[in-house]
Amino acid sequence: MPAIEFHPLTFVDERDGVVVGRPDTESYAVLPHDGAALLRRLAAGHPADEAARWYLGEFGESVDIGDFVSTLRELGFVREGSQPAPAPPRLRMLRLGAWTFSFPAWVVHTTLVVTCVAVMVAHPRVRPHADAVFFTPSLVVVQLTLALAQLPALAWHELFHVLAGRRLGLPTRLSVSRRLFFVVVEAHLDGLYSVPRKKRYLPFLAGMVADVLLFSVLTLVGAAGSGWACRLALAVAYTVLLRLVWQFYVFLRTDLYYVFTTLLGCDDLHGATSAYLRRKASRLPGIRHADADADYGAESAWSERDRQVAPWFALLTVGGVGFLLATAVLALVPLLVGFVTRLGPALAHGTAGGGRFWDSATSVGLFAAEFTLLILVSRREASRSGTDSS
């Protein structure tokens, strides 16, 4: 049997196996150590039957080499027939990524953040507070302006993820997609599976670094004066801070969740924890599910490490819900109170021909339209998901 030709593959040793993949197509699989050793043997140019005999002598077990090779073909690892070797992808922003996280850049980043903290200590008015959101008397302008400001702020966050990946020579990229009726910018970091875990932390944390820098710049701009632009900067800074706090809700699979799971050597801690909580909840009266124990106990569902950590992460999940509610009370309730206290007098005492009355009425209409559209699109997405699963 002739030797099999493979596309360029990466091998990264993990706690429970070896992550093998093609970074150019972002196709990855976790193989047991003996399976990865067999693949290395094949990729080195040894014929399949010879590699099977080597495996038998090395591990004392026979292997269905045909089935093994078929699986590798399904993963796209095998170069078929006259299929040419793919050209290395042309990656842009390599130098920008290297500079963004270089030592001189970290000096600049640190100086900027320290200066921001010093200014907030010296000038209480620029410290984050809910009233900063109302940078203009028009509630409609507040709503529309802050909504439009989120897309470039999110793009900045995701760009730092991409640059941290490009710094490692990985084909990380940005894409624009939709969640419900919101346009979102997403960074694709699958290429991180081709590098050791210790190199993944900065790409995961890069978005939070970007948020801290953006918050610092906006706060310093807000401290420069009391004009319209300065007040707008402080309003956007408050929303950036809320998004930064969101990253600490690790049970929602935020950036810090991936840092956490990488540090602990887990693969799908969220899935294992969800199954663990379902098993616990199923023992409560009236909501028992017969397959809950089997769901969590399935050997092939999650790694042993995921199953070990899941009970502890379940406690963190329960505590995280409390943290979410606490931050909502501290950050979002004041915003709601601010809107209500501005809407109420304008609607109750304004006249039909007054600007404040119609501004408040339009603001209420925007809120109502947003929530109505959210409900309609959510139902549509749920219906579509149900149809696809059936």
Side-chain angles (χ1 to χ4, degrees), residues 22-102:
R22 283 182 59 185
D24 60 321
T25 61
E26 297 184 345
S27 175
Y28 296 92
V30 180
L31 300 181
H33 291 284
D34 57 339
L38 178 59
L39 177 53
R40 290 180 190 269
R41 192 82 175 176
L42 293 170
H46 295 275
D49 51 356
E50 179 185 321
R53 289 194 297 270
W54 170 85
Y55 183 90
L56 177 61
E58 185 74 15
F59 297 100
E61 296 180 359
S62 60
V63 61
D64 187 339
I65 195 66
D67 184 63
F68 184 71
V69 172
S70 295
T71 301
L72 298 177
R73 282 198 169 92
E74 292 175 1
L75 292 168
F77 293 170
V78 177
R79 190 189 308 169
E80 303 291 352
S82 58
Q83 185 179 8
R90 293 186 58 187
L91 299 179
R92 300 177 180 179
M93 300 188 295
L94 293 176
R95 291 184 179 179
L96 179 59
W99 181 87
T100 302
F101 301 100
S102 64

Side-chain angles (χ1 to χ4, degrees), residues 268-344:
D268 185 13
L269 183 57
H270 179 270
T273 302
S274 298
Y276 175 83
L277 290 173
R278 284 196 300 271
R279 185 184 66 159
K280 293 296 184 181
S282 69
R283 297 177 179 177
L284 297 176
I287 59 173
R288 181 172 180 82
H289 299 285
D291 59 345
D293 290 332
D295 179 28
Y296 178 68
E299 292 293 334
S300 59
W302 297 279
S303 68
E304 182 63 27
R305 184 61 176 170
D306 287 333
R307 284 145 53 84
Q308 290 175 351
V309 180
W312 302 102
F313 194 72
L315 294 176
L316 184 61
T317 298
V318 174
V321 173
F323 176 60
L324 187 153
L325 295 175
T327 53
V329 170
L330 293 175
L332 298 181
V333 170
L335 282 179
L336 180 61
V337 171
F339 268 101
V340 171
T341 55
R342 287 165 173 80
L343 283 171

Side-chain angles (χ1 to χ4, degrees), residues 30-315:
V30 180
L31 300 181
H33 291 284
D34 57 339
L38 178 59
L39 177 53
R40 290 180 190 269
R41 192 82 175 176
L42 293 170
H46 295 275
D49 51 356
E50 179 185 321
R53 289 194 297 270
W54 170 85
Y55 183 90
L56 177 61
E58 185 74 15
F59 297 100
E61 296 180 359
S62 60
V63 61
D64 187 339
I65 195 66
D67 184 63
F68 184 71
V69 172
S70 295
T71 301
L72 298 177
R73 282 198 169 92
E74 292 175 1
L75 292 168
F77 293 170
V78 177
R79 190 189 308 169
E80 303 291 352
S82 58
Q83 185 179 8
R90 293 186 58 187
L91 299 179
R92 300 177 180 179
M93 300 188 295
L94 293 176
R95 291 184 179 179
L96 179 59
W99 181 87
T100 302
F101 301 100
S102 64
F103 178 76
W106 281 114
V107 172
V108 174
H109 300 338
T110 304
T111 302
L112 179 63
V113 174
V114 171
T115 303
C116 173
V117 172
V119 168
M120 287 193 296
V121 171
H123 302 281
R125 75 173 184 86
V126 301
R127 298 172 189 172
H129 55 91
D131 286 341
V133 170
F134 305 99
F135 62 94
T136 177
S138 172
L139 296 179
V140 173
V141 173
V142 168
Q143 289 173 258
L144 295 180
T145 303
L146 293 184
L148 292 175
Q150 298 312 302
L151 187 58
L154 288 172
W156 173 256
H157 174 102
E158 301 297 338
L159 176 63
F160 264 58
H161 284 305
V162 171
L163 291 177
R166 292 296 173 88
R167 169 178 166 270
L168 299 175
L170 301 175
T172 50
R173 66 187 189 280
L174 284 177
S175 68
V176 179
S177 60
R178 179 180 65 86
R179 292 180 184 172
L180 297 178
F181 56 87
F182 299 103
V183 176
V184 297
V185 182
E186 297 177 312
H188 297 268
L189 303 174
D190 290 344
L192 291 178
Y193 289 116
S194 64
V195 299
R197 285 181 180 259
K198 65 181 180 180
K199 293 185 177 182
R200 302 175 193 173
Y201 295 112
L202 180 57
F204 287 142
L205 290 170
M208 295 182 67
V209 173
D211 288 340
V212 171
L213 295 177
L214 180 58
F215 173 83
S216 300
V217 170
L218 291 171
T219 300
L220 293 177
V221 171
S226 58
W228 188 86
C230 296
R231 297 196 304 272
L232 173 59
L234 293 177
V236 178
Y238 187 78
T239 65
V240 173
L241 181 63
L242 293 182
R243 188 166 57 252
L244 189 61
V245 172
W246 171 272
Q247 299 298 338
F248 288 88
Y249 304 147
V250 293
F251 62 96
L252 295 177
R253 286 184 287 184
T254 60
D255 292 348
L256 284 180
Y257 164 80
Y258 292 101
V259 173
F260 190 75
T261 55
T262 300
L263 183 64
L264 294 175
C266 297
D267 298 315
D268 185 13
L269 183 57
H270 179 270
T273 302
S274 298
Y276 175 83
L277 290 173
R278 284 196 300 271
R279 185 184 66 159
K280 293 296 184 181
S282 69
R283 297 177 179 177
L284 297 176
I287 59 173
R288 181 172 180 82
H289 299 285
D291 59 345
D293 290 332
D295 179 28
Y296 178 68
E299 292 293 334
S300 59
W302 297 279
S303 68
E304 182 63 27
R305 184 61 176 170
D306 287 333
R307 284 145 53 84
Q308 290 175 351
V309 180
W312 302 102
F313 194 72
L315 294 176

